[in-house]
Amino acid sequence: EEGFDVVLHASNHVMDKWASGVERTLEFWENYPDITVLGINKNEEEDSKVKIREVKGAKIAMLNYTYDTNGLPVPSDKSYLVELINEKNIEEDALWAEENADFTIAFMHWGTEYSTTPNDMQKSLSYKMADWGVDLIIGSHPHVIEPVEWIETENGNKLLVYYSLGNFVSRQLDAINLLGGIAKVTLKSEDGRVSIDKGSFMPVVTHYNTSYRGFKIYPSSEYTNELAMGHGVAAHDGTVSVERFAAIVDKVFEGYDKSVLEAY
């Protein structure tokens, strides 16, 4: 009903209800065949396939991996259940997508929780994925925003990476966790090649009242100090303001190209 047609399940919490939880989740999504489910698989055959959606005549390949499952093991006889970050598997998937699709997106559950700086693994794997033909990376997990950058490798491949979009909505109690982002990417097709026409990052604020109710998401450019005065986060992390959220964005993107940022 909300318009989502792709769902990501590769996260560190995917095994919280064990293998049976993943299997029941897959059974649920069988009732919605128009939804593309990423990151979990019901069998080896499904695990071996890269999901592709055709959008306005363009074949978009979509990959989804998680760095871990919080130490809860994926059963050895059902290793296909969860897509884990494994360079060999990612390379195989990406190279297959490069040959069989027009554009490849990788949704990565990675990074260091509460760090606004991408770690060494995020950086190095992004360059490798660019080499393998991935065109766009959208990251999650840290609960805070991280910067955005273009990567160009020696083989001429270009990739746009959103290291972390942070939280879209949450009831966390620190201001930095209530600032998230929306990746806005427009594709173009020229001479039979699909590429990114424009990519931008729109900061958003999760607002809730002093009773921890009334949740609403605002583009940060539309958030006001009048609203901020009634934000429930003040009881834990001090008064918030338009200026405070803007300062967080400025600090996160320090040293990076800020032209990707929408008004905030």
Side-chain angles (χ1 to χ4, degrees):
E1 293 181 0
E2 297 297 332
F4 291 96
D5 52 17
V6 177
V7 176
L8 314 178
H9 276 297
S11 83
N12 55 309
H13 288 286
V14 67
M15 290 296 294
D16 283 3
K17 296 298 180 179
W18 309 100
S20 60
V22 178
E23 290 165 342
R24 290 181 65 183
T25 299
L26 287 163
E27 288 174 8
F28 170 82
W29 286 118
E30 287 178 358
N31 298 311
Y32 301 90
D34 292 336
I35 302 294
T36 299
V37 178
L38 303 178
I40 55 177
N41 307 290
K42 63 183 178 182
N43 52 43
E44 294 277 3
E45 181 183 5
E46 189 173 281
D47 181 31
S48 66
K49 294 180 179 178
V50 172
K51 301 287 180 68
I52 292 178
R53 285 190 74 104
E54 189 164 323
V55 182
K56 297 182 179 179
K59 294 179 179 178
I60 311 297
M62 295 172 292
L63 315 174
N64 180 209
Y65 310 94
T66 179
Y67 76 98
D68 195 20
T69 55
N70 284 352
L72 299 174
V74 180
S76 58
D77 62 335
K78 295 182 177 180
S79 59
Y80 54 79
L81 277 179
V82 179
E83 296 285 2
L84 295 169
I85 291 177
N86 174 296
E87 288 193 10
K88 181 177 181 294
N89 291 344
I90 294 174
E91 181 179 8
E92 289 177 356
D93 289 344
L95 292 176
W96 186 93
E98 177 76 351
E99 292 296 320
N100 294 277
D102 300 306
F103 191 88
T104 303
I105 307 172
F107 300 96
M108 305 299 291
H109 202 80
W110 62 0
T112 305
E113 279 192 307
Y114 307 113
S115 171
T116 58
T117 303
N119 62 31
D120 291 342
M121 184 273 275
Q122 288 170 278
K123 286 276 193 175
S124 64
L125 187 52
S126 293
Y127 275 88
K128 290 175 183 177
M129 291 170 76
D131 265 334
W132 301 332
V134 174
D135 301 289
L136 172 65
I137 296 175
I138 297 180
S140 61
H141 174 64
H143 298 294
V144 293
I145 63 172
E146 293 181 346
V148 179
E149 71 173 337
W150 280 97
I151 288 172
E152 185 167 2
T153 61
E154 291 182 1
N155 62 12
N157 289 349
K158 290 186 68 175
L159 174 151
L160 180 62
V161 52
Y162 294 77
Y163 286 110
S164 173
L165 295 182
N167 294 328
F168 180 66
V169 60
S170 82
R171 188 186 176 279
Q172 290 193 279
L173 299 174
D174 291 304
I176 198 169
N177 305 130
L178 301 173
L179 179 72
I182 294 176
K184 299 174 72 175
V185 181
T186 305
L187 305 185
K188 62 181 178 181
S189 179
E190 293 180 339
D191 301 323
R193 178 176 174 79
V194 177
S195 60
I196 295 173
D197 184 42
K198 181 180 180 182
S200 63
F201 182 99
M202 182 174 76
V204 296
V205 174
T206 295
H207 180 86
Y208 54 79
N209 61 31
T210 54
S211 299
Y212 303 102
R213 298 287 188 273
F215 284 78
K216 189 171 181 179
I217 311 302
Y218 292 88
S220 61
S221 61
E222 297 177 15
Y223 197 64
T224 66
N225 282 328
E226 183 179 5
L227 284 166
M229 288 176 63
H231 202 307
V233 75
H236 177 80
D237 193 36
T239 302
V240 292
S241 64
V242 171
E243 292 76 19
R244 185 175 178 188
F245 285 124
I248 294 172
V249 176
D250 287 337
K251 185 174 181 180
V252 171
F253 278 80
E254 186 176 355
Y256 288 83
D257 182 4
K258 291 186 178 181
S259 67
V260 300
L261 289 167
E262 295 200 0
Y264 61 99

